[in-house]
């Protein structure tokens, strides 16, 4: 669809307040300003280089893999309100991982390929959460005993489920967006997970109504389960901000797929789960 069609959808969408429509239309305008900027990330990675990600870099995994990448390159990363996408708690927005510090990609992958754990005692309101990196999982029990809690609950991190990771091979495509520019910074002002940008009243129209009451509590009191590593950007992000593609092990060993990715988006680097560049961006 084009800009006019998206605008028409918003204006005709039932259940949205006039304030919410105005805010979303402004976000669509920001999206097209960013898209029409023809911004191209500038990297000079060569084969074998370690990928370094700056604080604020955004990442997104697509469960549709190569087909999902094709859709994003064609239309941008657009929220499920406007496309036939997977349902979510905030269908108005696109979910991305927003790095809170500089990382070597290999360290970030090791971190998120572990587990998220909650420790607590049955009759005690005190609880503690943390992420156990992949390479520390074998030390988890000793760590748990040392904390003197009675109960622990653990699950995969969200990133491990939705990005290429060391613990599943369903998702084979991760997209790395460059956010070190004014355009993406402006789009992030429409992050519904940030109460400073989208207040409780305004955000109500953008969140699944069955989840709203819990959502406004959780986004203020974030822990390792409702993480501060996420952003949910209203409407979407244009494809011209893609700087790299992270592939899982299956795609890494499929030269046909790697060539297809490079043909689709020639100016990006392709990297693997070791955080190494396997195809440079030049």
């Amino acid at each position: 669809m084009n800009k006019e069609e998206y605008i028409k959808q918003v204006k005709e969408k039932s259940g949205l307040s006039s304030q919410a429509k105005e805010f979303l239309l402004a976000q669509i305008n920001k999206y097209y300003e960013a898209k029409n900027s023809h911004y191209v990330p500038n990297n000079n990675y060569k084969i074998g280089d370690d990928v370094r990600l700056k604080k604020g870099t955004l990442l997104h995994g697509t469960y549709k893999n190569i087909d999902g990448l094709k859709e994003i390159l064609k239309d941008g990363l657009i929220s499920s309100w406007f496309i036939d996408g997977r349902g979510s708690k905030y269908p108005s927005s696109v979910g991305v991982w927003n790095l809170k510090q500089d990382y070597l990609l290999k360290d970030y992958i090791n971190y998120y390929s572990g587990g998220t754990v909650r420790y607590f005692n049955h009759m005690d309101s005190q609880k503690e959460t943390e992420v156990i990196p992949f390479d520390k999982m074998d030390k988890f029990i000793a760590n748990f005993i040392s904390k003197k809690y009675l109960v622990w609950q653990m699950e995969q991190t969200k990133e491990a489920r939705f990005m290429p990771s060391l613990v599943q091979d369903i998702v084979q495509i991760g997209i790395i967006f460059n956010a070190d520019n004014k355009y993406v910074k402006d789009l992030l002002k429409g992050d519904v997970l940030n109460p400073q940008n989208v207040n409780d009243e305004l955000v109500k129209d953008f969140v699944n109504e069955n989840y709203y009451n819990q959502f406004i509590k959780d986004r203020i009191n974030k822990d390792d389960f409702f993480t501060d590593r996420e952003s949910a950007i209203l409407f979407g992000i244009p494809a011209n901000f893609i700087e790299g593609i992270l592939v899982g092990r299956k795609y890494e060993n499929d030269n046909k797929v790697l060539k297809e990715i490079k043909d689709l988006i020639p100016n990006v680097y392709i990297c693997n789960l070791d955080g190494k560049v396997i195809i440079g961006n030049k």
Side-chain angles (χ1 to χ4, degrees):
M1 290 195 293
N2 58 35
K3 181 179 180 181
E4 288 69 31
E5 290 171 311
Y6 288 129
I7 290 172
K8 182 181 178 184
Q9 270 193 266
V10 173
K11 290 181 176 179
E12 294 177 350
K13 195 166 188 62
S14 62
L16 282 186
S17 68
S18 58
Q19 184 185 17
K21 287 183 179 180
E22 183 180 347
F23 194 87
L24 186 51
L25 289 172
Q27 193 74 5
I28 291 173
N29 284 329
K30 290 178 185 180
Y31 176 96
Y32 277 94
E33 180 184 356
K35 181 178 180 178
N36 294 334
S37 72
H38 302 295
Y39 180 89
V40 178
N42 183 25
N43 294 291
N44 292 298
Y45 281 120
K46 301 179 180 63
I47 294 174
D49 286 351
D50 285 316
V51 175
R52 296 178 179 272
L53 303 178
K54 290 183 179 179
K55 177 182 177 180
T57 299
L58 306 179
L59 300 97
H60 177 83
T62 171
Y63 69 99
K64 294 182 179 179
N65 293 321
I66 189 68
D67 291 332
L69 176 61
K70 290 176 182 177
E71 291 174 4
I72 291 167
L73 292 175
K74 179 183 176 184
D75 299 317
L77 179 58
I78 304 293
S79 74
S80 61
W81 259 5
F82 300 92
I83 62 171
D84 183 21
R86 174 187 279 183
S88 73
K89 293 176 179 176
Y90 4 92
S92 60
S93 310
V94 294
V96 291
W97 308 106
N98 187 336
L99 296 192
K100 298 304 176 186
Q101 64 184 67
D102 293 350
Y103 270 105
L104 282 174
L105 177 59
K106 64 181 180 182
D107 293 335
Y108 179 55
I109 291 169
N110 176 66
Y111 172 78
Y112 76 63
S113 293
T116 310
V117 63
R118 179 185 287 114
Y119 310 99
F120 61 96
N121 294 322
H122 289 300
M123 304 302 292
D124 190 343
S125 61
Q126 182 181 355
K127 68 176 182 179
E128 182 181 346
T129 69
E130 67 175 322
V131 174
I132 311 295
F134 183 78
D135 65 351
K136 299 288 193 300
M137 290 294 289
D138 61 337
K139 300 178 178 62
F140 165 71
I141 294 298
N143 185 47
F144 167 66
I145 292 171
S146 71
K147 290 179 178 292
K148 303 187 184 304
Y149 285 99
L150 297 177
V151 183
W152 57 266
Q153 297 171 334
M154 182 182 286
E155 60 186 54
Q156 288 179 324
T157 67
K158 291 183 179 179
E159 293 98 323
R161 293 174 232 164
F162 298 116
M163 288 283 294
S165 73
L166 301 174
V167 293
Q168 55 84 12
D169 60 7
I170 296 170
V171 180
Q172 289 292 307
I173 290 280
I175 299 168
I176 303 171
F177 289 96
N178 185 297
D180 191 21
N181 58 80
K182 65 178 183 179
Y183 301 104
V184 176
K185 285 178 173 32
D186 207 23
L187 287 171
L188 280 163
K189 292 176 182 177
D191 176 8
V192 302
L193 300 187
N194 187 338
Q196 295 180 344
N197 290 345
V198 189
N199 64 42
D200 287 353
E201 180 182 356
L202 180 59
V203 83
K204 188 171 185 178
D205 287 347
F206 299 133
V207 178
N208 185 308
E209 63 180 353
N210 296 322
Y211 177 53
Y212 171 73
N213 289 332
Q214 187 62 43
F215 171 81
I216 59 173
K217 297 176 184 176
D218 288 344
R219 73 171 182 161
I220 293 174
N221 303 299
K222 293 176 180 175
D223 60 19
D224 293 299
F225 285 83
F226 191 108
T227 83
D228 64 355
R229 307 188 300 273
E230 300 173 67
S231 289
I233 301 173
L234 278 171
F235 186 67
I237 308 173
N240 51 304
F241 294 89
I242 298 173
E243 70 168 57
I245 301 295
L246 170 64
V247 295
R249 296 301 189 201
K250 287 182 177 179
Y251 278 11
E252 178 184 1
N253 293 296
D254 190 328
N255 290 330
K256 182 179 178 181
V257 172
L258 292 177
K259 182 180 185 304
E260 187 174 7
I261 294 170
K262 193 62 177 175
D263 288 344
L264 285 168
I265 183 166
N267 64 315
V268 307
Y269 57 87
I270 302 175
C271 51
N272 64 10
L273 290 171
D274 302 313
K276 298 281 188 182
V277 173
I278 56 175
I279 297 179
N281 58 300
K282 299 295 184 183

